[in-house]
Amino acid sequence: MKLVWSPEMALKAYIDTVKTCKKFQESDDAEMISAMAGGWNPRLIVEAWSSGSEITTSIGLEIAARHSGARYVCILQNECSRSEYIAALKEHGSTVPELMVGESMEVMERLPEVEFMVVDGGRKDLSELFGVARLSHRGAVLLCRGGRTGRRMGGFRWDLVVKKACLVRSVIIPVGQGLNIGYVKENLEYKKSSSKNDSRWITRIDRKTGEEHVFRG
């Protein structure tokens, strides 16, 4: 099975996000991101938010998650960002999603089968977040906000960042500050090689001779 696009779900998410965000002048790309999140009908939506960023993307993702029944998790760098994020959502009258605070490697290890992921282009751990993400075997849609601005992206390229998956296609859409979008699928060759390399070295001590024997498990 793979991710399947649903126009009906995309339209529902888009319309509700437009209604909710129309009073916010900073909405920018929230409607499009919400429509994509709803349309791909993912099981897990992950957002990596950074301090000072717009909150409307989170509002749109929450709406999409509600329509699709997806689990929606927002990753924050520290407790200060967490407080700022919660305050911004409450100010706009939106529901606070499941939150995780911490280093990218540690947090992403707890999130298997990611199917839709949005990362703010201003985060310093941008490439690491995408690189360590445990993506779904059904495929995944990855978005980097700020994809049109080369300075912020620092030469960002999907094929260099997402090495555990096969890049099917990518596109940069000039809405807001730019959306760099990549669609990836499971890399079976990487999976095979990883399973071989991940075998453990096991040590056994011969009680009679005291000799140490080391072999792969």
Side-chain angles (χ1 to χ4, degrees):
M1 285 199 51
K2 63 179 181 179
L3 292 177
V4 178
W5 178 257
S6 170
E8 294 80 10
M9 198 71 76
L11 184 59
K12 288 179 181 179
Y14 179 83
I15 291 174
D16 281 1
T17 304
V18 169
K19 289 179 179 178
T20 304
C21 295
K22 64 181 179 181
K23 55 182 176 292
F24 310 139
Q25 294 182 354
E26 74 275 15
S27 62
D28 278 349
D29 49 22
E31 294 90 348
M32 177 172 286
I33 294 175
S34 178
M36 291 183 65
W40 283 110
N41 199 24
R43 296 169 182 166
L44 174 59
I45 297 172
V46 176
E47 178 189 14
W49 188 83
S50 61
S51 179
S53 297
E54 300 162 0
I55 202 65
T56 48
T57 297
S58 298
I59 295 173
L61 289 175
E62 190 278 327
I63 290 171
R66 196 177 343 125
H67 278 296
S68 63
R71 178 189 177 190
Y72 167 35
V73 179
C74 185
I75 299 171
L76 302 160
Q77 294 165 301
N78 49 51
E79 287 300 324
C80 289
S81 293
R82 181 178 182 276
S83 298
E84 180 185 342
Y85 181 81
I86 292 175
L89 281 178
K90 288 184 176 179
E91 181 182 349
H92 290 80
S94 186
T95 303
V96 178
E98 181 181 346
L99 304 179
M100 288 189 176
V101 179
E103 296 295 326
S104 53
M105 179 72 77
E106 186 273 329
V107 173
M108 294 308 297
E109 272 294 314
R110 294 151 53 192
L111 293 170
E113 297 294 308
V114 176
E115 294 188 341
F116 194 91
M117 185 171 177
V118 183
V119 177
D120 185 89
R123 287 189 61 131
K124 294 181 179 179
D125 57 354
L126 166 69
S127 296
E128 185 178 16
L129 280 163
F130 284 122
V132 301
R134 299 167 64 188
L135 305 177
S136 171
H137 67 281
R138 299 202 307 160
V141 178
L142 310 175
L143 285 81
C144 180
R145 297 184 67 249
R148 190 175 52 174
T149 311
R151 180 177 60 82
R152 291 182 66 192
M153 295 296 291
F156 180 89
R157 283 175 50 188
W158 289 115
D159 58 338
L160 297 179
V161 173
V162 187
K163 298 179 180 179
K164 299 178 183 178
C166 288
L167 178 65
V168 178
R169 59 181 176 273
S170 63
V171 63
I172 295 178
I173 301 177
V175 295
Q177 294 182 359
L179 282 179
N180 194 331
I181 306 170
Y183 174 68
V184 300
K185 66 177 182 178
E186 189 175 25
N187 188 336
L188 297 178
E189 291 302 317
Y190 180 90
K191 191 174 182 180
K192 289 178 182 177
S193 62
S194 295
S195 62
K196 292 179 182 179
N197 295 330
D198 287 345
S199 57
R200 298 179 300 167
W201 287 102
I202 300 174
T203 302
R204 290 287 183 270
I205 305 296
D206 190 313
R207 293 184 179 180
K208 293 182 180 180
T209 64
E211 293 179 338
E212 184 182 75
H213 301 278
V214 181
F215 55 94
R216 282 190 183 275

